[in-house]
Amino acid sequence: MSIIKGKAYTFGDNINTDVIYPGKYLSITTDRMEMARHCFEAVYPEFMEQARSGDVIVAGRNFGCGSSREQAATCLKYFGISAVVAESFARIFYRNAINLGLPVIVAPGVARMVHHGDDVEVDLEGGSVRNTRTNETIEATKLPDFILKIIDDGGLISHLQRRLGIVKPEEDK
Amino acid sequence: MTIAEKILARASGKPLTEPHEIVTAKIDVAMSHENADVVLRAFKEIGVEKVWDPERIVILFDHRIPAESEKTAATHQRIRAFVKEQHIKHFYDLREGICHQVLPENGHSRPGDVMVGTDSHTTTHGAFGTFASGIGATEMAGVWATGELWFMVPESMRIKVTGMFPKYVSAKDLILHIIGKLGAAGADYKAVEFFGETISNMSIASRMVLTNLSMEMGAKVAIVVPDEKTITYVVQRTNHEFTTLLPDPDAEYAQEIHIDVTDLKSMVACPHAVDNVKPVSEVAGKRINQALIGSCTNGRLEDLAVAAEILHAEKVHPEVRLLVIPASRQVYLAAIEKGYIETFIKAGALVLNPGCGPCLGAHQGLMAPGEVCISTTNRNFKGRMGSSESFVYLASPATVAQSAITGEITPAATTG
Ligand code: SF4
């Protein structure tokens, strides 16, 4: 889990939550697989055809800005995006992604280093991103163990289920 | 360390924290309003039987009170049942007012604490030196289950304010000015610290205006450096222990700003963005249909006082609906005792029950297409207060009161 390999699908700066998951679908569905069919639909309709499960999104600054809708992270996760690497993230998207089990990595300089279609390797634990085509590597913010654990467990709810299940006797004291 | 760094260090049991580090903090206060209904659903999905600490959870109703629909009535009912079942100690049903006023009034907002709320304007409580931030419903379910939550330590920026406000220019004009300058993402992710002589001289209520609206420039938390005023306010309301934390003299800030308010003008945020800020004089003359004094931003006693001063022996323009909504039952009662409510009613205003009122566009005074409202609230997004073809201007209580009399956007007279 700690090393993620995938093809880079790139975006620019300030990709907002309306672009990632169009508002018109908010009231239409609560089905996660259905959400996954509308990623970037309004502005980048080609995404649904060209992107593949396992791809790594590489973006510029302030990825996920705008509304607090959790669906923006949900649709990417259930589409199969294996990680999002960006120069920076909007606060609520970042939190939502982790709590849903979608790895998000801050890596200043990544937008310059990675081009669309490059193969990248993201080391969540070590805190680095490597472009395997050019063999360039940059540092990324390391994710601490417990965040990795939340992601590994598939998000906050299942993480807590697991954790509380294990520590229950102690919690009862 | 800055205040934010110190509080997170204390709450996560570490000697030091640095920006961008991720820590797990123990939560001192967890607040929810009607959206506790969404939280309790996620909480049940986790499958925990009991909340971590029924004394640290605060729940109240303010967004849709009294219930404007059957759906809301059922929501209220489900939450009341949950509160009983879990023995949640601090539950304020629909009779107290808006969360961001009721919590401080009851001593829940304390220096050095970490507070999370399922409401984006939870930053308000930073006026008491609290690390207070808005979170999502799923996360809150996690807090209810475990009492802790992870945070990325924010970079801090500080804003020093000096000078004396001109008459009828207030904290609202100051923060609108700052948001206009920095933009809606100007404090993204950051902890904003307010200090300086103007802040020291400011009332607690005015400080809350600053921390409330800081959310609209993206702040994760906004903190007023606590002083004697803060401590006095808090100890009068609670016996609960707290640790007053102050920034170190050598704390590091990502950005520092200095503002002198001596020549500050009355400001207004024009449709449809909070950072679309202009001096009131630039939009003076714009006809209005509705004027609103209230909300978690400007529904406190000093706000009603200045409005009453301006409306005294005056009449609301015949084509304007002036709504006055005290932020809480306590504010309402004090305003009655001071005679403000009588002034409003004599002037032709409609005084509504303490709560959010039409601020979020749910009920109690929505707008028709083409209508214009001048309001003391904190958001003027498209469709926020009714029709997506209506227009909301945000301003101070003085500007709103003056505009309600003339029927058009008007700065409060500074002479006389
Ligand atoms: S008054 Fe408005 S901004 Fe404040 S809590 Fe209520 S709905 Fe939110």
Side-chain angles (χ1 to χ4, degrees):
Chain A
M1 175 69 198
S2 118
I3 306 253
I4 294 169
K5 295 181 190 173
K7 261 205 188 336
Y9 201 102
T10 57
F11 288 98
D13 292 341
N14 297 314
I15 298 296
N16 72 51
T17 49
D18 268 288
V19 170
I20 302 170
Y21 190 72
K24 68 173 174 188
Y25 294 114
L26 288 175
S27 55
I28 291 179
T29 183
T30 53
D31 174 358
R32 291 155 180 177
M33 296 322 280
E34 176 64 27
M35 287 180 203
R37 285 196 276 275
H38 303 291
C39 304
F40 296 101
E41 188 179 277
V43 185
Y44 302 103
E46 67 280 8
F47 178 88
M48 287 307 299
E49 299 198 340
Q50 296 169 1
R52 293 284 165 266
S53 177
D55 281 1
V56 172
I57 287 180
V58 175
R61 268 173 294 140
N62 207 19
F63 188 84
C65 56
S67 90
S68 65
R69 69 185 64 148
E70 233 169 56
Q71 290 90 336
T74 313
C75 73
L76 297 182
K77 180 179 159 82
Y78 287 89
F79 178 84
I81 291 302
S82 58
V84 186
V85 187
E87 300 277 331
S88 68
F89 289 90
R91 169 177 119 74
I92 300 184
F93 177 87
Y94 187 82
R95 296 194 72 88
N96 286 342
I98 289 176
N99 290 330
L100 286 166
L102 173 68
V104 277
I105 303 94
V106 181
V110 74
R112 235 182 321 107
M113 185 187 78
V114 175
H115 292 104
H116 196 79
D118 286 353
D119 283 308
V120 291
E121 273 181 28
V122 183
D123 182 348
L124 297 179
E125 223 165 306
S128 68
V129 181
R130 193 165 83 91
N131 182 337
T132 45
R133 182 179 61 85
T134 63
N135 211 11
E136 250 185 293
T137 301
I138 46 168
E139 248 186 74
T141 308
K142 257 187 236 165
L143 292 179
D145 289 350
F146 73 92
I147 296 271
L148 287 174
K149 195 91 191 45
I150 295 177
I151 291 172
D152 249 347
D153 288 347
L156 187 66
I157 290 193
S158 32
H159 171 70
L160 289 176
Q161 283 168 339
R162 203 167 291 200
R163 202 185 104 190
L164 296 172
I166 293 164
V167 298
K168 203 145 201 173
E170 256 180 71
E171 289 256 321
D172 279 343
K173 70 174 177 270
Chain B
M1 287 188 286
T2 67
I3 295 196
E5 290 158 12
K6 273 199 183 170
I7 298 177
L8 287 181
R10 182 199 59 74
S12 59
K14 295 183 148 201
L16 277 177
T17 61
E18 298 186 353
H20 307 299
E21 185 182 343
I22 293 180
V23 299
T24 302
K26 293 231 179 308
I27 303 301
D28 298 292
V29 180
M31 185 274 291
S32 292
H33 43 66
E34 275 90 338
N35 59 17
D37 193 34
V38 190
V39 183
L40 74 86
R41 238 177 293 154
F43 179 77
K44 298 213 158 134
E45 191 185 334
I46 297 172
V48 190
E49 273 170 26
K50 292 233 166 306
V51 297
W52 108 100
D53 186 348
E55 305 217 349
R56 290 186 186 273
I57 296 173
V58 182
I59 295 178
L60 50 61
F61 299 152
D62 57 0
H63 275 55
R64 296 152 186 271
I65 52 169
E68 90 301 349
S69 65
E70 257 180 60
K71 200 171 153 234
T72 300
T75 300
H76 287 165
Q77 187 181 45
R78 272 193 299 273
I79 299 171
R80 286 189 190 108
F82 182 80
V83 162
K84 258 203 195 134
E85 162 203 317
Q86 295 285 333
H87 306 287
I88 307 277
K89 189 170 164 207
H90 302 291
F91 171 58
Y92 303 94
D93 209 312
L94 49 68
R95 55 184 86 153
E96 288 302 323
I98 308 174
C99 55
H100 306 311
Q101 176 62 13
V102 173
L103 265 68
E105 279 174 355
N106 290 281
H108 298 296
S109 315
R110 300 178 291 258
D113 272 7
V114 176
M115 180 195 289
V116 288
T118 42
D119 187 278
S120 57
H121 293 104
T122 301
T123 54
T124 312
H125 306 268
F128 301 89
T130 315
F131 185 100
S133 198
I135 61 168
T138 308
E139 295 186 286
M140 185 57 94
V143 171
W144 284 6
T146 65
E148 43 181 58
L149 186 65
W150 61 274
F151 289 99
M152 190 191 285
V153 179
E155 285 186 330
S156 292
M157 72 188 266
R158 66 173 173 176
I159 304 182
K160 177 179 182 177
V161 189
T162 54
M164 273 231 315
F165 283 110
K167 185 156 171 73
Y168 290 139
V169 177
S170 63
K172 182 63 162 286
D173 303 295
L174 168 62
I175 189 68
L176 287 179
H177 170 71
I178 294 173
I179 296 170
K181 231 171 109 138
L182 298 179
D188 246 356
Y189 261 127
K190 295 208 177 74
V192 180
E193 244 179 54
F194 289 99
F195 75 113
E197 70 185 41
T198 314
I199 307 291
S200 310
N201 293 332
M202 228 178 230
S203 67
I204 295 285
S206 288
R207 294 174 181 184
M208 289 166 80
V209 176
L210 303 181
T211 51
N212 176 277
L213 265 161
S214 291
M215 197 279 136
E216 301 303 327
M217 50 181 183
K220 174 174 192 153
V221 295
I223 304 178
V224 172
V225 177
D227 57 13
E228 254 171 61
K229 236 182 240 179
T230 321
I231 311 287
T232 309
Y233 183 99
V234 176
V235 297
Q236 280 170 355
R237 288 164 175 82
T238 180
N239 297 323
H240 208 286
E241 277 177 25
F242 58 90
T243 321
T244 306
L245 296 172
L246 302 174
D248 290 326
D250 62 350
E252 280 182 34
Y253 297 88
Q255 197 180 349
E256 301 198 33
I257 294 168
H258 176 202
I259 290 167
D260 191 305
V261 298
T262 313
D263 297 318
L264 189 69
K265 304 259 180 305
S266 299
M267 305 302 272
V268 57
C270 301
H272 297 285
V274 187
D275 59 357
N276 186 13
V277 176
K278 297 175 182 160
V280 176
S281 53
E282 276 184 33
V283 288
K286 175 100 202 152
R287 301 298 300 261
I288 58 166
N289 308 92
Q290 181 161 300
L292 166 59
I293 300 171
S295 84
C296 60
T297 313
N298 281 120
R300 304 194 171 84
L301 195 62
E302 65 176 30
D303 304 313
L304 303 187
V306 68
E309 184 184 318
I310 291 169
L311 283 158
H312 186 75
E314 295 280 354
K315 285 269 173 280
V316 173
H317 190 278
E319 282 166 28
V320 173
R321 317 177 293 259
L322 171 61
L323 310 178
V324 178
I325 312 176
S328 72
R329 187 173 59 88
Q330 290 188 22
V331 169
Y332 197 3
L333 202 53
I336 289 174
E337 281 163 9
K338 299 243 179 211
Y340 305 154
I341 300 298
E342 191 181 333
T343 302
F344 297 139
I345 295 173
K346 280 189 174 155
L350 225 63
V351 180
L352 303 179
N353 60 291
C356 297
C359 172
L360 72 154
H363 65 159
Q364 289 184 323
L366 303 189
M367 313 255 291
E371 287 194 326
V372 176
C373 176
I374 186 156
S375 171
T376 66
T377 53
N378 52 29
R379 273 187 186 150
N380 58 353
F381 301 158
K382 219 171 197 240
R384 171 80 178 176
M385 212 181 280
S387 164
S388 60
E389 277 140 61
S390 63
F391 303 87
V392 179
Y393 290 77
L394 306 176
S396 72
T399 305
V400 173
Q402 192 66 56
S403 307
I405 296 169
T406 58
E408 49 191 47
I409 297 180
T410 316
T414 49
T415 51

